[in-house]
Amino acid sequence: MTEPKDVKLLAKDRLKTWLGKLQNYRIFAPVQHENYSEFAEIQDISTISEIFLDLFNTTISPKDFILPQTECMFGFNTNKKSPEIMTCRNDDEATPNRLVLGIRPCDSLAIAALDCTFDTEFKDTYYLSNRNRTVLIGLACQEPDENCFCTSVGSDPHDGSALDIMLVDLGDSYLFKIYTEKGQQLIDANKDNSLFEMPSDDDLKTGDDLSKDARAKITRKMATAGKPEKLSGLFESGYWDAISKKCLGCGICTYLCPTCYCFDITDEKWGTKGERVRTWDSCMYPEYTAHASGYNPRPARMNRMRNRVYHKFKYYPDLHDKFGCVGCGRCISYCPVNVDIIDIINGIDEVNE
């Protein structure tokens, strides 16, 4: 794992004071609703409850901060001799920086995985605008969920490599592991540094022990070694038809997945004015690959299930030398018919090429 650039200690009763000094940021943190949890804006720091840090990973990933479910790309007006292109009503320049507090390591690594697609030689300016004005303050996992398997895909419950700052809960205080210049700027917002202390050797050892304990608590394992190579010879296997039979094609796995990025672009028009809008889509829907001619290269659910697996565990590793899955377990926990990606990948070992 990447080592932090610096480590500080903050007493828990000083957390609200520190957050209150960050006047130029909208602060978002995990919030529990009746049937689900998500990141939501904290309007009044004085009312923030520490309980948000006790939640398991949120039902809905914080991917939406960087790649919104619905995003206006530009507006237009056709009531002229030449078309007029306008900035959107929700212009990013009018929106202050966001601080996402309590994001888990797997979700931060998912955002880093999205960078491989949107921050290349072909820059997605909408994505990068959101990315650059968002600071990620993570929370190391102490009690992983029953379906977490981050250790099987090259990560760890205490992996802060894709975070600006990672918090480690020591009981009465937090270790602040600072990884980036963005993170350092947040520490420096407290000019006199009176809130932060230097951690003792015992504090650092406790943090290391908690990391080992959290890793040991992840009980589900995915056998990922050699899978991209194995998949090369299984494209025509009957295995994909067998595992896709109970899939409903509802797409919940793709909408909750923090690394999925399929989208559609539509023009919404009223009168002479309109907007071009980017909206999440799902490769699990038959319409996603339907051609204007009527031909569909993925006509059956088997084709779409196979594509999802190949994208995460074959195409993405071939392109970026890492899996397109961070092991958060959402697709397992919330699938209405219990399709289990761990069982699917492990079952490949039993398939003859």
Side-chain angles (χ1 to χ4, degrees), residues 130-151:
N130 292 327
R131 184 78 161 101
N132 293 335
R133 64 191 178 88
T134 304
V135 181
L136 304 178
I137 301 185
L139 178 67
C141 296
Q142 303 297 107
E143 298 290 338
D145 188 72
E146 61 181 350
N147 286 320
C148 290
F149 59 99
C150 64
T151 53

Side-chain angles (χ1 to χ4, degrees), residues 17-128:
T17 302
W18 175 65
L19 292 173
K21 292 179 177 290
L22 306 179
Q23 299 294 327
N24 296 326
Y25 293 86
R26 296 170 62 194
I27 297 176
F28 296 81
V31 171
Q32 180 68 57
H33 300 293
E34 183 177 357
N35 298 316
Y36 69 99
S37 55
E38 65 175 347
F39 281 81
E41 186 169 5
I42 306 301
Q43 300 288 349
D44 184 356
I45 296 302
S46 66
T47 63
I48 192 171
S49 172
E50 302 271 358
I51 195 171
F52 73 87
L53 295 177
D54 295 330
L55 290 174
F56 285 120
N57 210 359
T58 53
T59 310
I60 301 173
S61 86
K63 170 181 67 176
D64 185 74
F65 289 108
I66 313 298
L67 185 65
Q69 184 169 351
T70 301
E71 181 176 31
C72 174
M73 304 177 77
F74 59 83
F76 56 84
N77 189 342
T78 59
N79 190 25
K80 292 185 177 182
K81 291 182 180 179
S82 59
E84 180 185 6
I85 303 298
M86 302 169 290
T87 56
C88 292
R89 291 170 296 178
N90 57 341
D91 191 358
D92 285 341
E93 293 179 1
T95 306
N97 294 333
R98 291 93 52 89
L99 187 156
V100 181
L101 176 66
I103 183 174
R104 298 293 176 160
C106 59
D107 280 342
S108 68
L109 288 164
I111 292 173
L114 294 177
D115 290 345
C116 295
T117 297
F118 294 96
D119 188 11
T120 66
E121 60 177 316
F122 305 105
K123 306 290 185 184
D124 188 305
T125 56
Y126 305 97
Y127 175 90
L128 291 175

Side-chain angles (χ1 to χ4, degrees), residues 2 8 52 65 84 204 246 248 281 285 336 351:
T2 303
K8 299 289 187 181
F52 73 87
F65 289 108
E84 180 185 6
L204 295 175
K246 67 178 180 179
L248 300 177
D281 204 345
Y285 298 156
V351 181

Side-chain angles (χ1 to χ4, degrees), residues 34-297:
E34 183 177 357
N35 298 316
Y36 69 99
S37 55
E38 65 175 347
F39 281 81
E41 186 169 5
I42 306 301
Q43 300 288 349
D44 184 356
I45 296 302
S46 66
T47 63
I48 192 171
S49 172
E50 302 271 358
I51 195 171
F52 73 87
L53 295 177
D54 295 330
L55 290 174
F56 285 120
N57 210 359
T58 53
T59 310
I60 301 173
S61 86
K63 170 181 67 176
D64 185 74
F65 289 108
I66 313 298
L67 185 65
Q69 184 169 351
T70 301
E71 181 176 31
C72 174
M73 304 177 77
F74 59 83
F76 56 84
N77 189 342
T78 59
N79 190 25
K80 292 185 177 182
K81 291 182 180 179
S82 59
E84 180 185 6
I85 303 298
M86 302 169 290
T87 56
C88 292
R89 291 170 296 178
N90 57 341
D91 191 358
D92 285 341
E93 293 179 1
T95 306
N97 294 333
R98 291 93 52 89
L99 187 156
V100 181
L101 176 66
I103 183 174
R104 298 293 176 160
C106 59
D107 280 342
S108 68
L109 288 164
I111 292 173
L114 294 177
D115 290 345
C116 295
T117 297
F118 294 96
D119 188 11
T120 66
E121 60 177 316
F122 305 105
K123 306 290 185 184
D124 188 305
T125 56
Y126 305 97
Y127 175 90
L128 291 175
S129 174
N130 292 327
R131 184 78 161 101
N132 293 335
R133 64 191 178 88
T134 304
V135 181
L136 304 178
I137 301 185
L139 178 67
C141 296
Q142 303 297 107
E143 298 290 338
D145 188 72
E146 61 181 350
N147 286 320
C148 290
F149 59 99
C150 64
T151 53
S152 296
V153 288
S155 184
D156 186 275
H158 281 235
D159 187 348
S161 59
L163 291 163
D164 296 301
I165 298 175
M166 183 171 71
L167 277 58
V168 181
D169 190 341
L170 301 185
D172 295 328
S173 60
Y174 294 112
L175 277 182
F176 269 56
K177 294 188 175 183
I178 306 157
Y179 288 89
T180 68
E181 183 60 33
K182 275 186 181 179
Q184 188 62 56
Q185 289 173 0
L186 292 181
I187 303 300
D188 293 342
N190 177 41
K191 297 298 184 182
D192 59 6
N193 282 329
S194 60
L195 293 177
F196 293 92
E197 304 172 18
M198 292 300 296
S200 67
D201 290 342
D202 286 343
D203 293 326
L204 295 175
K205 182 180 184 304
T206 299
D208 290 340
D209 290 343
L210 289 171
S211 177
K212 294 174 184 176
D213 289 345
R215 189 178 182 89
K217 290 175 181 176
I218 295 181
T219 57
R220 299 209 63 191
K221 305 295 180 183
M222 177 186 282
T224 53
K227 283 304 185 297
E229 296 76 16
K230 176 78 171 178
L231 285 168
S232 294
L234 296 182
F235 194 80
E236 300 297 339
S237 170
Y239 182 63
W240 309 114
D241 187 57
I243 65 169
S244 65
K245 288 190 180 299
K246 67 178 180 179
C247 174
L248 300 177
C250 66
I252 193 171
C253 53
T254 56
Y255 275 90
L256 296 184
C257 176
T259 65
C260 280
Y261 54 82
C262 294
F263 61 83
D264 193 10
I265 294 177
T266 56
D267 287 342
E268 299 180 357
K269 197 167 182 287
W270 49 94
T272 62
K273 296 182 179 180
E275 291 180 342
R276 179 156 293 181
V277 178
R278 174 161 68 183
T279 309
W280 290 356
D281 204 345
S282 173
C283 64
M284 296 303 291
Y285 298 156
E287 297 87 354
Y288 182 76
T289 48
H291 294 190
S293 66
Y295 173 70
N296 194 332

